[in-house]
């Protein structure tokens, strides 16, 4: 999940690819014995893929970021904990030299570029996730320096890190598919009705990566595409559903119609990030309500669980918006009435 402007919803296309899956496929929807380049799971609302190159790209990016933060060559920023950095190394001298070279390149050229908002990172991610056969020909538009760095360490990654990353990614997909088969239709229906939107015509593509960005997941459009970390949240399957449907809410089809509604009652434009507070509240409420109906009344939605509504400007946004938006989500107000009352609260 990310804290960003509405313009981040419609960005560059990102695709993905996968590898093999373990046995015991959930509901027959998780593939077994898959070669790289094939999706690992599919439901009515999402299709999950596991791209070795996209995983490697994010892994190098986060490893390089942590190193730079530790030695003070990068400015303080939100980062991802990379467990392998401090673990025992099984790389031989040749592998270590190749790995060191790739990390150094990412430190020089990549880590100052945001994975979501930087155009170079968008293009590279899209190009890598389009590659179905990592050992075959790569599109010529892939940046040559990154192509060389990634090709040089791909065998190292496959030997030492990919098996674990892949197992976790596929296990995450399996667990998500079971819950989506049970509750996905209900959540999707409630969410789109709350926003006044519709679900995309095709299942939303989700690339599973061991490490994503600091927020754990992010979404781009044209086509709709989610990049989802499989190690960013350990609070159970309801959290998986909230993350997925939160990210789906960043698509134009699901949320786009509501943006103009949010701005309408304000003299000029709604406060920055109000739309995102409402999105967090809506996805969280929808999953929490569904969990309660399923007998789990203890689920705490993401925004509350992580103290999101008490930070900085979000504290004011939430304080003024939440009573009215909660009344809407509970059916006591129309969407128009709730947004008008929110605008009035800011006017006061």
């Amino acid at each position: 999940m990310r804290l960003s402007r509405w313009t981040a919803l419609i960005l560059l296309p990102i695709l993905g690819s996968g590898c093999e899956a373990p046995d015991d496929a959930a509901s027959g929807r998780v593939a077994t014995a898959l070669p790289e380049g094939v999706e690992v799971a599919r439901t009515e609302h999402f299709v999950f893929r596991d791209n070795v190159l996209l995983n490697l790209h994010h892994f190098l990016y986060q490893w390089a970021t942590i190193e730079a933060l530790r030695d003070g060559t990068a400015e303080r920023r939100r980062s991802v904990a990379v467990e392998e950095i401090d673990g025992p190394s099984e790389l031989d001298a040749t592998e270590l030299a190749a790995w060191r070279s790739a990390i150094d390149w990412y430190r020089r050229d990549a880590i100052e570029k945001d994975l979501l908002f930087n155009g170079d990172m968008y293009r590279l991610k899209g190009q890598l996730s389009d590659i179905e056969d990592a050992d075959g020909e790569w599109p010529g538009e892939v940046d040559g320096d990154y192509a060389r760095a990634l090709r040089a360490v791909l065998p190292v990654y496959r030997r030492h890190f990919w098996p674990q990353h892949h197992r976790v990614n596929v296990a995450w997909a399996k667990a998500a598919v079971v819950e989506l088969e049970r509750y996905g239709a209900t959540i999707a229906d409630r969410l789109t009705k709350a926003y006044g939107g519709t679900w995309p015509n095709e299942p939303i593509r989700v690339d599973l990566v061991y490490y994503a960005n600091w927020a754990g997941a992010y979404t781009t459009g044209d086509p709709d595409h989610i990049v989802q970390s499989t190690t960013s949240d350990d609070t159970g399957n309801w959290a998986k559903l909230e993350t997925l449907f939160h990210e789906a809410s960043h698509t134009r089809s699901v949320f786009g119609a509501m943006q103009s509604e949010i701005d309408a009652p304000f003299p000029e434009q709604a406060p920055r990030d109000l739309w995102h507070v409402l999105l967090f509240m809506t996805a969280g409420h929808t999953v929490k309500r569904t969990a309660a109906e399923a007998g789990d009344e203890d689920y705490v939605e993401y925004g509350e669980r992580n103290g999101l509504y008490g930070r900085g400007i979000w504290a004011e946004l939430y304080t003024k918006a939440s009573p009215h938006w909660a009344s809407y989500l509970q059916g006591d107000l129309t969407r128009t009435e709730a947004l008008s009352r929110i605008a009035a609260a800011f006017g006061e």
Side-chain angles (χ1 to χ4, degrees):
M1 297 182 182
R2 65 190 188 285
L3 311 183
S4 58
R5 288 291 289 166
W6 161 253
T7 51
L9 296 179
I10 307 302
L11 294 168
L12 299 180
I14 311 297
L15 302 174
S17 59
C19 190
E20 59 187 359
D23 296 328
D24 302 325
S27 302
R29 298 296 189 92
V30 179
T32 58
L34 292 172
E36 288 180 357
V38 179
E39 67 189 57
V40 296
R42 175 181 291 263
T43 70
E44 178 183 357
H45 299 96
F46 300 96
V47 55
F48 299 94
R49 297 175 71 86
D50 190 21
N51 181 329
V52 64
L53 290 175
L54 209 56
N55 273 267
L56 174 57
H57 167 59
H58 284 81
F59 188 34
L60 292 171
Y61 182 99
Q62 299 302 346
W63 185 306
T65 298
I66 292 297
E67 278 197 357
L69 288 171
R70 286 182 175 182
D71 64 24
T73 57
E75 295 181 358
R76 183 179 178 183
R77 69 187 74 176
R78 288 169 171 164
S79 58
V80 174
V82 179
E83 59 193 33
E84 292 87 349
I85 290 181
D86 298 317
S89 175
E90 298 180 357
L91 278 63
D92 61 31
T94 301
E95 292 172 331
L96 187 59
W99 194 256
R100 185 71 261 157
S101 179
I103 293 295
D104 289 345
W105 170 251
Y106 269 72
R107 288 186 61 165
R108 289 194 301 272
D109 194 77
I111 63 174
E112 296 302 323
K113 301 174 181 178
D114 189 87
L115 287 167
L116 176 60
F117 294 108
N118 180 268
D120 291 340
M121 290 295 99
Y122 277 136
R123 283 186 291 274
L124 177 62
K125 184 175 54 174
Q127 292 157 1
L128 294 176
S129 53
D130 261 340
I131 299 172
E132 298 261 329
D133 179 7
D135 296 316
E137 293 295 324
W138 293 14
E141 61 267 21
V142 177
D143 182 282
D145 290 317
Y146 281 98
R148 283 187 288 274
L150 291 165
R151 281 190 181 277
V153 294
L154 181 58
V156 182
Y157 179 62
R158 278 179 167 150
R159 179 179 180 185
H160 295 283
F161 305 112
W162 175 238
Q164 167 67 8
H165 293 185
H166 174 62
R167 281 193 294 271
V168 171
N169 291 349
V170 174
W172 197 101
K174 286 183 66 175
V177 164
V178 171
E179 302 307 311
L180 287 166
E181 294 281 358
R182 294 171 177 165
Y183 309 112
T186 298
I187 296 173
D189 181 64
R190 288 173 172 170
L191 204 63
T192 52
K193 286 180 178 177
Y195 297 134
T198 59
W199 199 263
N201 293 328
E202 298 293 332
I204 298 174
R205 191 165 184 169
V206 182
D207 256 313
L208 299 174
V209 293
Y210 202 72
Y211 301 109
N213 63 344
W214 66 266
Y218 56 103
T219 302
T220 54
D222 298 329
D224 299 326
H225 180 263
I226 298 167
V227 176
Q228 169 67 54
S229 169
T230 57
T231 57
S232 62
D233 200 325
D234 61 355
T235 56
N237 290 333
W238 291 114
K240 290 181 175 65
L241 292 180
E242 184 179 353
T243 298
L244 286 171
F245 283 100
H246 172 103
E247 292 302 323
S249 299
H250 281 281
T251 65
R252 180 181 293 277
S253 177
V254 175
F255 188 82
M258 202 175 89
Q259 183 62 32
S260 60
E261 293 185 35
I262 295 173
D263 289 333
F266 288 86
E268 295 182 358
Q269 189 179 31
R272 178 185 174 89
D273 276 349
L274 174 61
W275 69 271
H276 209 177
V277 172
L278 299 181
L279 189 156
F280 265 98
M281 288 183 63
T282 306
H285 170 88
T286 302
V287 173
K288 185 173 183 177
R289 173 187 172 188
T290 307
E293 291 173 351
D296 185 354
E297 297 184 356
D298 297 326
Y299 179 67
V300 179
E301 61 187 78
Y302 182 96
E304 295 179 1
R305 192 169 71 243
N306 291 278
L308 196 64
Y309 303 134
R311 300 176 188 168
I313 189 61
W314 277 52
E316 179 186 2
L317 295 172
Y318 181 77
T319 298
K320 292 184 176 181
S322 61
H324 312 297
W325 197 247
S327 292
Y328 164 60
L329 294 175
Q330 293 163 6
D332 298 327
L333 294 175
T334 67
R335 190 165 58 244
T336 300
E337 290 170 340
L339 292 171
S340 295
R341 293 189 185 189
I342 291 170
F346 282 95
E348 297 169 358

